[in-house]
Amino acid sequence: MAEELVPENPETPESEEAQPIKQRKNGLYPGVSDELAENMKSGWADTELHGLEPIAQAAHTAARRAALSARFPGERLVIPSGNLKTRSNDTEYAFRASTEYAYLTGDQTHDSVLVLEPKAAGGDGHDATVYLLPRSNRENGEFWLNGQGELWVGRRHSLAEAEQLLGIPAKDVRELSAALAEATGPVRNVRGHDAGVEAALTDKVTAERDEELRVFLSEARLVKDAFEISELQKACDATARGFEDVVKVLDKAEATSERYIEGTFFLRARVDGNDIGYGSICAAGPHATTLHWVRNDGPVRSGELLLLDAGVETDQLYTADVTRTLPINGTFSPLQRKIYDAVYEAQEAGIAAVKPGGAFRDFHDAAQRVLAEKLVEWGLLGDLSVEKVLELGLQRRWTLHGTGHMLGMDVHDCAAARTEAYVSGTLEPGVCLTVEPGLYFQADDLTVPEEYRGIGVRIEDDILVTEDGNRNLSDSLPRRADEVEAWMAGLKG
Ligand code: GLY
Ligand code: MN
Ligand code: MN
């Protein structure tokens, strides 16, 4: 990559902002002649865009802001998108806007902040303003001399364009510190995304009140609107294509490593979506028993299983979370199939328990019961009854994790929701969750027969609660063992 002439902080101090290029940095920019500086100021076309249509979810983001406004009347609410994060030296990780900001605005730019300001005395509700980095100034040279200048990072929307697209009045983010400094009255901030905003608000907010804002925004996402459901379906469909891509290149993965699988799925995620929604777990052989195996650097061997847990995140930041456990050579061995079928049966029981009015915990309990029954049947728990095993939780040596979680913009969505709203809550139409039972026999587990050791199976689907039951958004991928084998044979040709 090319090096900037003068790398500098993207947040040009306001005092420098208006000054001509030659007076900044105590004088001259190295290597920039007066003539070049002058030359670069002019000769650029006006590219302002007019008559832009609002983004597809503008009505939904407005409704989400209205719900937030109603919950915190009379309080100033500050929701940042977040800043770039350094990977090393002067390179940054790919930016991903904070879920809260993107949910409320539909925007994904960095260093941006949504502020809901209570209407002036007498008025109900809030006025929303989105504070953004504007187009780069050409007069003072920032567009080509600043690392966040548009010449380096690409054109941004002007504030007027952003207003048309988002349906929210937009201001220059460099005005925000002063606006926050002047603010009076109660303020709440979503923490963890923008240290600069937090520093500006440090005397105006409390941890408890900020947490209430975070909790509200987490719980607001428990029930998905129509736009979100269609995004989740898109994510699942793209993810299914990614799993097909992987099956088609299993021979290449065998010749190289799990990385081939990771790279193959990532290609699909970038082509059909924004990114992967979380680190892909490409776990071949005994790696399948490591729940978060994301090193993905191990061998892929015929005769073993591949546990692939991966999800495409859409351009609007909704992710799928899907797992299939596949026989690398296309055919389950009898023992692999026995374990796979047990997990499949548990998942079927779990999915059947997902319905409106049901308790969130029901699907976990249903799946765990099936798995406990199998483990008892296989003689792995001595002569204990299934009831006793469940009472003591002994099946968990091999089932390891909860059977599912909310899904949305975050793979573990709504994570700040209160227990009574989530884990101890009741399902309603529009809730989307994963059902993902598994059995994992560690390679060094001396309590199971040797042939079980190193086998891990998980099957994970994304289930939407509907008015009359549920819909499996990821059901275009087969789950039953014989269907998995037939699907793989068809793809390998
Ligand atoms: N991929 C993480 C999970 O299944 O929860
Ligand atoms: Mn998963
Ligand atoms: Mn999951």
Side-chain angles (χ1 to χ4, degrees), residues 95-404:
F95 178 73
R96 200 280 197 181
S98 76
T99 287
E100 294 91 343
Y101 175 83
Y103 175 75
L104 292 167
T105 64
D107 180 45
Q108 295 181 32
T109 54
H110 58 81
D111 295 308
S112 307
V113 184
L114 171 70
V115 178
L116 297 193
E117 186 172 349
K119 284 190 188 292
D124 278 345
H126 292 76
D127 290 319
T129 305
V130 64
Y131 287 85
L132 303 170
L133 275 176
R135 304 269 341 252
S136 295
N137 187 320
R138 299 197 183 224
E139 271 297 305
N140 69 5
E142 75 171 3
F143 91 101
W144 67 292
L145 291 170
N146 182 309
Q148 286 304 314
E150 289 179 301
L151 183 133
W152 289 96
V153 299
R155 188 187 189 283
R156 289 188 277 272
H157 283 300
S158 70
L159 299 180
E161 291 167 0
E163 281 190 18
Q164 294 169 60
L165 290 166
L166 305 178
I168 309 172
K171 288 187 179 165
D172 187 333
V173 71
R174 288 168 291 194
E175 295 169 18
L176 180 61
S177 305
L180 294 179
E182 284 164 18
T184 54
V187 184
R188 296 182 196 249
N189 173 36
V190 177
R191 297 187 178 198
H193 302 313
D194 192 319
V197 168
E198 283 172 35
L201 290 174
T202 188
D203 298 331
K204 299 178 193 282
V205 296
T206 68
E208 295 73 24
R209 290 159 43 74
D210 284 357
E211 181 61 12
E212 284 170 6
L213 172 60
R214 196 170 79 98
V215 167
F216 175 82
L217 289 172
S218 216
E219 293 182 5
R221 304 201 312 275
L222 282 166
V223 175
K224 271 61 184 177
D225 62 35
F227 178 86
E228 296 183 287
I229 291 168
S230 89
E231 284 295 307
L232 286 164
Q233 184 65 68
K234 258 191 233 171
C236 286
D237 293 347
T239 296
R241 291 190 287 276
F243 275 65
E244 287 176 6
D245 296 340
V246 166
V247 170
K248 287 180 188 164
V249 300
L250 280 176
D251 56 339
K252 295 196 174 69
E254 279 187 62
T256 54
S257 78
E258 294 164 339
R259 287 184 185 184
Y260 208 97
I261 296 165
E262 179 183 335
T264 299
F265 190 82
F266 182 65
L267 176 63
R268 177 61 68 176
R270 283 295 286 163
V271 171
D272 284 6
N274 174 59
D275 204 338
I276 47 175
Y278 54 93
S280 300
I281 297 167
C282 308
H287 291 158
T289 66
T290 301
L291 294 181
H292 287 172
W293 178 258
V294 291
R295 290 183 226 160
N296 301 337
D297 57 359
V300 177
R301 300 189 193 94
S302 175
E304 295 185 331
L305 297 175
L306 167 68
L307 185 157
L308 175 59
D309 181 344
V312 172
E313 175 188 76
T314 65
D315 287 338
Q316 300 308 320
L317 308 184
Y318 288 80
T319 190
D321 180 11
V322 175
T323 306
R324 289 294 181 269
T325 305
L326 309 170
I328 289 162
N329 64 12
T331 309
F332 291 100
S333 73
L335 179 62
Q336 288 168 349
R337 191 173 179 132
K338 178 175 99 164
I339 297 169
Y340 186 93
D341 285 347
V343 174
Y344 173 76
E345 207 178 300
Q347 198 203 22
E348 284 282 274
I351 293 173
V354 175
K355 48 181 171 246
F360 173 81
R361 286 182 203 274
D362 286 352
F363 74 95
H364 174 71
D365 293 342
Q368 290 289 304
R369 174 168 290 277
V370 171
L371 294 175
E373 285 168 1
K374 298 294 176 186
L375 292 164
V376 167
E377 183 186 316
W378 297 341
L380 302 186
L381 286 157
D383 52 10
L384 288 175
S385 68
V386 170
E387 295 309 324
K388 194 70 189 169
V389 166
L390 288 169
E391 181 193 326
L392 300 176
L394 294 176
Q395 81 285 358
R396 292 174 58 185
R397 181 179 177 100
W398 301 291
T399 66
L400 295 182
H401 55 80
T403 309

